[in-house]
Amino acid sequence: MAYLELHGLEVSFDGFKAVNGLDLAVERGELRCLLGANGAGKSTTLDLICGRTQPTGGRILLDGQDITSAPEYRRARHGVGRKFQVPSVFRELTVRENLEVAHSRHPGPARTIRLFPGIRLDRRIAEVLEIVELADELDTRAAFLSHGQTQWLEIAMLLVQDSALILMDEPTAGMTIQETGKTSRIFQRLRGRHTLIVVEHDMGFVREIAETITVLHQGKRLSEGSIRQVEEDPKVREAYLGSGGISHA
Amino acid sequence: MSKSTLSRSKPYAQLAAYLLFCAVILAVPSFVTDAFLLNKFARYLALGLAAAALALSWGYAGILNLGQGVSFGIGAYAIAMHLKLKTSPVHTGSAGLPDFMVWNNLDHLPWFWQPFHSSLFAVAAGILAPVVVALLLGSFMFRARIAGVYVAIITLAMLAVVNLLFIDQQAYTGGFNGITDLAWLEAGSVTFDPYSPAFYYLSAGALSLCLLLGLAFTRSKAGLILQAIRNDADRVRFFGYDVAAYQSLAFAVSAGMAGLAGMLYAMVLEFASPTFMGVPLSLSMVIWAAVGGRGSLLGAAIGAILVNFMQGSLSESFLDTWQLILGGMFILVVVFLPNGLSSLIGILADRLTRPARQTPDTALAALSEAPRAGRTPS
């Protein structure tokens, strides 16, 4: 049994089936890329896995447990972490406070009411700050960070949260080539320790990090395999005919 | 907003401000001996506590509670029930029925009045009953993910319902008149005459304790998570926090503090009235907190004390126009200091400590002002 399994997953918004009978299995420690045109259901699939959207059919199994109808915070405690397409950080809080919130090993109020975040950094937070190079911005409010820094902060928050399964929605959107390169190095580090599902349009980035790629089309799985297999798949070619194949998706 | 940078980067400055305030209010009886004034100040402190409680739910957790009067009123009635029972034998003989019950043809004390013979029970009920009500209402609202203006509407409706209920159940609550002719609270050998320094110390002590505990709460990780929830509740869920539980917690802690404030208020006025649960008082509390600064418990408490103090002195000197003056002040504060008077400290501290970090707008303004005002731009 795979670490994450989607069985016949389905969701409809006012009759429109954004995800329509999707089957997917991701092994522990795998780095899976989701590809597809706009509206293929990539982000919606991530929403369904993390609980932002409730499915109208099908099942989600995480590590053998059925989490189909579990609320978001329970899924997060089971080890699902999510990075959103639009960087989503707490703008009124400082970088330090954002990371402190993300550090959620003991999420119950009975515990957190007795914890007093001090000036000294947790070792894990210090380590992550080093990686994302935000150490100088510790006491800056997130609202004042640049777009790139905000992206990094959210990635840092996910690293601090230390989820077993990390869902990334376009992690390199708006990044420079150097920043993208750094992101791909971080992903290489995460590989194996975490299970990652990445939605990405930047094919260069996908080529660098991907092992297995799943191509979605109209809410269904169209093709799956290595990047070469997917590119040569006639179904994929047919679906993307006219847009020059998947590389231009 | 400047408050949040101040409070996080300078934790000791914040603690010092709270301790200074507590020291000042506790020192008042050393300088003020007039019993009438002491009573008035004790009343302001009780209202300050109610505003601080509101700041906890509104400022920190983003829960705008327009029905703070529910908790405040329940607290007031709980202690009034006890103090009424203490006077009853004097008024209506050893049967011990409160006067309004006799007028309403009750022949025995209702069962839920019985335990209020105990002062300890009454005090506990004055705090815990609002907490329980808040937990019930809170878990209903927050599990259903009701937020923002809808919370304000529901709490306001709740206030109206509770107010009507207390007025309607005249035989048990004294109806429109409320519970009047109260005895003084006794604890051991101390009698808390509302015009005595002892009572003032009770109010000041309660406010100090609540402010310091509240400060600890807001500075704990739970307090940080509440601020994150106020910012983006959905995002917090994806870190594994049960948002509804945290919101209910803040709502309940705030209710307990408001209940305590209500108890002090009933004791200081020596009656409990349905007007304590009226819409005007609850809305006033929102204004006090807004004037003082909802982002700070201390700021809100000072706001309440200041507004009530001004209300008192203005209404004495300007019989007809004091409401106009007060209204003008509210507008000035809201327009020029949207985060209340307490944000002044943050703004001043920012100016003094790092003049270089000006926003372009203020830097430009300072430049264009400089020649006229004859000072160098800082």
Side-chain angles (χ1 to χ4, degrees):
Chain A
M1 177 177 272
Y3 180 59
L4 176 76
E5 292 183 8
L6 309 183
H7 294 288
L9 204 60
E10 208 178 279
V11 68
S12 83
F13 302 118
D14 296 326
F16 168 69
K17 292 207 164 161
V19 172
N20 190 2
L22 177 65
D23 294 305
L24 190 70
V26 181
E27 294 296 336
R28 193 186 292 273
E30 192 183 335
L31 196 163
R32 176 72 61 99
C33 282
L34 293 187
L35 289 184
N38 285 328
K42 308 180 299 287
S43 293
T44 311
T45 303
L46 296 193
D47 284 347
L48 289 168
I49 297 171
C50 76
R52 194 189 205 193
T53 306
Q54 279 296 322
T56 46
R59 291 199 315 145
I60 306 170
L61 297 179
L62 180 71
D63 207 6
Q65 286 199 42
D66 190 327
I67 58 163
T68 313
S69 53
E72 305 95 311
Y73 71 91
R74 287 205 185 280
R75 299 188 197 204
R77 289 180 192 180
H78 270 299
V80 181
R82 170 81 190 262
K83 186 197 169 302
F84 291 91
Q85 192 169 358
V86 177
S88 164
V89 300
F90 305 111
R91 294 171 54 80
E92 285 177 27
L93 304 185
T94 63
V95 169
R96 180 201 296 273
E97 290 167 340
N98 268 285
L99 294 173
E100 188 62 51
V101 172
H103 194 253
S104 54
R105 194 143 309 148
H106 308 288
R111 182 70 190 261
T112 54
I113 202 165
R114 289 180 285 133
L115 289 176
F116 291 91
I119 300 293
R120 264 191 51 225
L121 285 176
D122 181 89
R123 208 168 48 89
R124 169 115 195 123
I125 294 183
E127 207 180 283
V128 167
L129 272 173
E130 200 70 13
I131 300 174
V132 298
E133 292 170 12
L134 282 172
D136 292 340
E137 307 289 347
L138 254 186
D139 292 310
T140 307
R141 251 190 300 147
F144 297 141
L145 295 178
S146 70
H147 178 78
Q149 284 175 319
T150 313
Q151 291 270 36
W152 281 114
L153 177 57
E154 198 179 7
I155 290 177
M157 287 164 82
L158 279 170
L159 295 181
V160 169
Q161 186 184 5
D162 207 15
S163 299
L165 171 66
I166 300 180
L167 311 172
M168 296 264 191
D169 204 345
E170 299 200 27
T172 66
M175 282 190 178
T176 61
I177 294 172
Q178 288 84 354
E179 285 170 334
T180 305
K182 197 166 132 191
T183 308
S184 99
R185 283 197 297 281
I186 289 185
F187 279 40
Q188 304 296 354
R189 281 183 56 163
L190 295 176
R191 178 188 302 242
R193 282 208 299 141
H194 302 264
T195 309
L196 284 108
I197 301 181
V198 183
V199 167
E200 187 55 69
H201 281 295
D202 183 338
M203 281 309 290
F205 182 71
V206 171
R207 266 177 230 283
E208 257 182 62
I209 61 165
E211 301 163 333
T212 315
I213 293 172
T214 301
V215 182
L216 300 187
H217 186 60
Q218 292 175 352
K220 284 193 176 73
R221 186 173 63 179
L222 184 69
S223 175
E224 196 168 279
S226 71
I227 189 147
R228 178 188 297 254
Q229 286 168 330
V230 164
E231 274 178 324
E232 286 169 359
D233 188 332
K235 278 185 295 180
V236 175
R237 288 188 164 270
E238 189 187 343
Y240 289 91
L241 201 71
S243 65
I246 188 131
S247 300
H248 296 263
Chain B
M1 299 305 122
S2 44
K3 164 239 114 218
S4 118
T5 46
L6 176 78
S7 63
R8 287 287 155 191
S9 55
K10 300 191 180 98
Y12 296 109
Q14 198 188 21
L15 180 62
Y18 275 67
L19 289 174
L20 180 69
F21 175 78
C22 297
V24 167
I25 59 170
L26 285 167
V28 164
S30 318
F31 304 101
V32 178
T33 44
D34 183 72
F36 175 73
L37 267 183
L38 269 188
N39 173 271
K40 199 156 85 170
F41 289 159
R43 182 161 61 86
Y44 296 160
L45 296 186
L47 295 174
L49 180 53
L54 184 65
L56 187 67
S57 68
W58 184 26
Y60 278 88
I63 304 162
L64 175 51
N65 183 358
L66 293 184
Q68 193 76 344
V70 172
S71 307
F72 191 76
I74 292 175
Y77 273 84
I79 200 72
M81 284 161 81
H82 168 65
L83 299 176
K84 185 69 189 173
L85 287 177
K86 281 180 69 181
T87 62
S88 299
V90 184
H91 292 296
T92 55
S94 54
L97 266 194
D99 45 16
F100 65 85
M101 290 189 185
V102 178
W103 303 332
N104 283 286
N105 298 324
L106 285 191
D107 50 13
H108 63 277
L109 197 65
W111 60 269
F112 59 88
W113 270 73
Q114 298 288 359
F116 284 89
H117 281 292
S118 148
S119 58
L120 205 64
F121 179 88
V123 171
I127 297 172
L128 294 180
V131 167
V132 170
V133 171
L135 281 178
L136 287 176
L137 181 65
S139 56
F140 154 73
M141 281 194 301
F142 303 131
R143 294 269 165 233
R145 300 203 180 167
I146 293 168
V149 69
Y150 298 100
V151 170
I153 293 170
I154 289 174
T155 50
L156 189 65
M158 181 78 179
L159 180 71
V161 168
V162 173
N163 189 20
L164 278 179
L165 191 73
F166 271 71
I167 292 174
D168 184 60
Q169 296 298 314
Q170 190 170 304
Y172 307 109
T173 61
F176 264 117
N177 301 319
I179 305 177
T180 53
D181 276 329
L182 303 183
W184 295 337
L185 183 69
E186 282 170 36
S189 59
V190 190
T191 306
F192 292 103
D193 168 3
Y195 290 87
S196 69
F199 185 83
Y200 178 87
Y201 282 124
L202 181 68
S203 296
L207 178 57
S208 302
L209 187 70
C210 285
L211 281 179
L212 292 175
L213 287 178
L215 179 66
F217 179 51
T218 55
R219 294 198 61 86
S220 72
K221 183 153 180 184
L224 180 61
I225 292 162
L226 284 173
Q227 294 180 56
I229 290 172
R230 181 191 62 199
N231 228 229
D232 187 346
D234 283 330
R235 191 71 188 88
V236 176
R237 292 195 180 96
F238 295 112
F239 287 116
Y241 299 107
D242 182 357
V243 166
Y246 278 90
Q247 287 173 318
S248 301
L249 175 71
F251 198 54
V253 171
S254 166
M257 277 170 69
L260 180 58
M263 283 201 276
L264 292 170
Y265 197 65
M267 285 191 279
V268 85
L269 293 181
E270 296 181 80
F271 68 90
S273 142
T275 56
F276 293 6
M277 302 173 174
V279 172
L281 184 66
S282 287
L283 292 188
S284 299
M285 290 176 189
V286 174
I287 294 175
W288 303 335
V291 166
R294 64 190 159 108
S296 152
L297 304 190
L298 180 60
I302 292 177
I305 295 168
L306 215 62
V307 171
N308 280 287
F309 184 76
M310 286 186 67
Q311 205 163 329
S313 13
L314 284 175
S315 60
E316 281 161 22
S317 8
F318 304 94
L319 279 179
D320 299 322
T321 51
W322 67 272
Q323 280 182 313
L324 205 65
I325 299 173
L326 209 59
M329 196 187 85
F330 293 155
I331 293 173
L332 283 181
V333 169
V334 171
V335 170
F336 292 106
L337 289 172
N339 295 308
L341 294 173
S342 65
S343 63
L344 266 179
I345 303 171
I347 293 169
L348 287 178
D350 274 357
R351 282 273 161 85
L352 291 175
T353 52
R354 22 174 205 187
R357 271 193 97 168
Q358 282 171 321
T359 61
D361 279 353
T362 56
L364 274 178
L367 272 177
S368 58
E369 261 174 36
R372 271 180 289 139
R375 59 191 160 88
T376 50
S378 50

